[in-house]
Amino acid sequence: MMKQNEITPHLFRTEYSKIVAVLCKTFQLKNIEIAEDIASETFLKASESWAVHGIPENPTAWLYAVAKNKAKDYFKHFAVFETQVQKAIKPGGIEAECDFEFTNQNIADSQLAMIFLVCNPINSAGAQICLALQILCGFSIEEIANAFLTKTETIKKRLQRARNNLRNDNFQIKSLSQPEIKLRLNTVLKTLYLLFNEGYFSKTNNLPIRKELCLEAIRLTLTLTENILTNTPQTNALLALMYFQSSRLDARTNEKGEAILFNEQNKNLWDKWLIEKGNNYLINACNGNEVSKYHLEAAIAYWHTTPTEKNKWQHILQLYNQLILIEYSPIAMLNRVFAYAKVYGHKKAITEAEKLNLTDSNYYHGLLGYLYAGTDIEKAISHYQHAIKLTTSKIEKQTLTKEIELLKLKKDKKTI
């Protein structure tokens, strides 16, 4: 059973954004901060009450009941009810409106509406993603900064400007038209993609994997597939990618929490059910002629999870070649070089890698360390040491240090 210091942060991650979304949708709030305050007060009460009385049998239902009562009290006792909310709710007053429930359908509808509202073209694409990560997904400013590889102060200012823009644009949750959904869907998908990646390869709190973020990203993407307007090939491709990647989560760390490289993973730990789900959604994604970055990344993940080795890396390399034409990124280029090494050998791959000259990237030096390991131990160790200096992740440092130790043992055996 989870302890309070474990379950409260877990519930905050999974339930805070749901409470905010339902409150905003129910009361048509222009200032989202009201809903955020109510949600925060709910969790504050939970931490205080549970410390004394223990965790209730159904903590999620407890949170929803408290949030509902706090919303009712807020609009009863503060002038904002008369001045800002009363005109937006039904005749009969707050008593009637507070009969709302946190049903699965209401939560799903509210969150879907919220994420499309937050992804408003009035803000830049980057600001939309930051807002959605904070409001819908519960990211802290630090986590958003890590996802964007940006300073926290920059993210803080971006969020403040974006919130002001929403407020000035008469922020309200409402049903969106098909053109509005079509306009904003790409940003929504990118937000969920970033959310999953933060869980799959976390840089926060020295945790290599945060399964709850992966699960949250999958849940939100599933919500998109359940709506006819958002059940697109891109959405299905993204969901396929998430399922394929999630299938290997248990194999990516050992019992000590240390990272396990792909080549060393125990394939028996790969979740076959999740792989099959990925296959199903990848088939759905191929309904049409569209080929997006999500299609290509899902196809790469598919080949990673297939048991066959025949032509596997040739297929993966071809897919990376297509991917960098659609959306170039340093990480994609480095992953391409890894696949290139599998097909053409490490010597040729070193030449490909050094052409990139990504000397400020720990992944670049980590890859070169791996490529040089078989032929030049000194160079391999040097690159691994560079990678250690550049990364802020404790787990990455441990993994790289372990590789250096293995290389030193290998070198010592050769000199004996």
Side-chain angles (χ1 to χ4, degrees):
M1 180 179 291
M2 295 177 73
K3 299 178 182 178
Q4 187 197 334
N5 62 350
E6 296 173 335
I7 197 168
T8 305
H10 170 74
L11 286 172
F12 183 86
R13 171 66 72 187
T14 59
E15 306 303 328
Y16 174 86
S17 59
K18 296 177 185 178
I19 292 171
V20 172
V22 170
L23 291 175
C24 284
K25 181 172 180 287
T26 301
F27 299 114
Q28 294 293 292
L29 295 176
K30 179 179 179 182
N31 295 321
I32 190 175
E33 289 79 7
I34 297 173
E36 290 175 324
D37 287 344
I38 293 172
S40 295
E41 289 172 11
T42 298
F43 278 91
L44 178 61
K45 182 172 181 178
S47 64
E48 293 173 346
S49 176
W50 297 355
V52 177
H53 304 290
I55 300 170
E57 185 176 343
N58 189 337
T60 302
W62 189 98
L63 289 170
Y64 292 162
V66 171
K68 180 177 175 180
N69 289 332
K70 283 190 173 292
K72 183 176 180 179
D73 291 342
Y74 184 91
F75 292 117
K76 269 185 174 180
H77 296 104
F78 291 88
V80 69
F81 168 59
E82 285 80 16
T83 59
Q84 297 182 25
V85 179
Q86 194 171 34
K87 294 179 181 178
I89 65 176
K90 299 175 184 177
I94 195 69
E95 294 292 341
E97 275 303 310
C98 273
D99 286 337
F100 75 93
E101 297 296 336
F102 283 92
T103 62
N104 290 336
Q105 188 61 51
N106 193 20
I107 291 170
D109 290 345
S110 299
Q111 287 202 294
L112 183 63
M114 175 67 88
I115 195 168
F116 275 95
L117 182 62
V118 167
C119 295
N120 189 325
I122 195 171
N123 285 314
S124 67
Q128 291 174 47
I129 294 168
C130 287
L131 271 177
L133 287 173
Q134 185 186 53
I135 294 172
L136 188 77
C137 306
F139 270 38
S140 67
I141 291 176
E142 179 188 6
E143 288 170 324
I144 299 171
N146 284 334
F148 279 91
L149 302 179
T150 306
K151 294 179 180 178
T152 54
E153 193 60 35
T154 301
I155 295 298
K156 191 181 296 183
K157 291 178 181 177
R158 186 181 299 174
L159 285 167
Q160 187 176 6
R161 287 194 299 268
R163 281 174 175 266
N164 288 337
N165 288 339
L166 284 183
R167 192 178 296 110
N168 295 335
D169 195 48
N170 194 29
F171 176 87
Q172 282 187 344
I173 284 190
K174 59 184 179 180
S175 298
L176 295 173
S177 66
Q178 187 170 355
E180 287 176 310
I181 287 177
K182 187 175 181 180
L183 179 65
R184 302 183 194 181
L185 183 58
N186 283 341
T187 302
V188 170
L189 294 178
K190 189 171 183 180
T191 298
L192 298 178
Y193 175 80
L194 284 173
L195 172 61
F196 183 86
N197 282 348
E198 171 61 21
Y200 186 72
F201 192 68
S202 178
K203 295 182 181 179
T204 305
N205 297 329
N206 293 316
L207 296 173
I209 296 172
R210 301 175 68 185
K211 288 185 180 180
E212 76 275 14
L213 300 193
C214 294
L215 293 173
E216 184 72 0
I218 290 174
R219 186 189 65 77
L220 292 170
T221 310
L222 274 169
T223 300
L224 296 181
T225 64
E226 293 165 358
N227 186 296
I228 191 171
L229 297 178
T230 53
N231 186 27
T232 66
Q234 275 202 68
T235 303
N236 282 272
L238 176 57
L239 191 53
L241 170 62
M242 291 177 179
Y243 274 123
F244 284 136
Q245 299 289 62
S246 295
S247 71
R248 296 191 289 113
L249 286 176
D250 289 338
R252 290 183 59 230
T253 55
N254 60 22
E255 62 277 2
K256 297 179 182 178
E258 298 170 337
I260 301 176
L261 301 178
F262 177 78
N263 289 340
E264 301 170 2
Q265 289 176 13
N266 181 356
K267 295 182 180 180
N268 292 325
L269 295 178
W270 292 1
D271 193 314
K272 293 180 176 59
W273 183 84
L274 290 175
I275 293 173
E276 187 59 35
K277 294 288 285 185
N279 288 334
N280 292 338
Y281 281 102
L282 187 56
I283 291 171
N284 292 343
C286 296
N287 183 21
N289 299 319
E290 182 179 10
V291 179
S292 67
K293 65 168 285 185
Y294 304 119
H295 284 81
L296 295 172
E297 290 194 29
I300 290 169
Y302 160 79
W303 280 107
H304 276 302
T305 55
T306 54
T308 179
E309 290 295 326
K310 185 179 180 181
N311 297 325
K312 171 188 282 192
W313 290 102
Q314 286 88 339
H315 287 294
I316 291 174
L317 179 58
Q318 289 173 8
L319 289 164
Y320 272 119
N321 289 339
Q322 295 177 61
L323 179 61
I324 60 178
L325 291 176
I326 291 179
E327 185 171 302
Y328 176 92
S329 75
I331 292 296
M333 289 298 295
L334 292 172
N335 287 337
R336 176 193 172 275
V337 172
F338 182 85
Y340 190 93
K342 291 289 187 179
V343 177
Y344 298 109
H346 287 204
K347 185 177 180 180
K348 290 184 177 180
I350 288 171
T351 302
E352 288 291 304
E354 290 178 341
K355 287 178 184 177
L356 301 176
N357 197 32
L358 299 169
T359 55
D360 292 333
S361 168
N362 60 297
Y363 301 117
Y364 171 76
H365 290 287
L367 175 61
L368 282 172
Y370 163 77
L371 294 175
Y372 272 115
T375 57
D376 192 329
I377 290 178
E378 289 297 333
K379 277 193 174 182
I381 290 175
S382 176
H383 280 293
Y384 279 141
Q385 288 172 338
H386 274 294
I388 289 172
K389 290 177 183 178
L390 289 169
T391 183
T392 58
S393 169
K394 182 180 177 181
I395 300 298
E396 286 179 10
K397 289 179 186 290
Q398 290 174 345
T399 302
L400 292 166
T401 300
K402 185 178 179 180
E403 292 300 311
I404 291 174
E405 291 171 354
L406 291 173
L407 286 174
K408 286 181 177 179
L409 286 173
K410 184 178 179 181
K411 181 182 176 182
D412 291 342
K413 286 181 180 179
K414 283 186 177 181
T415 57
I416 294 174

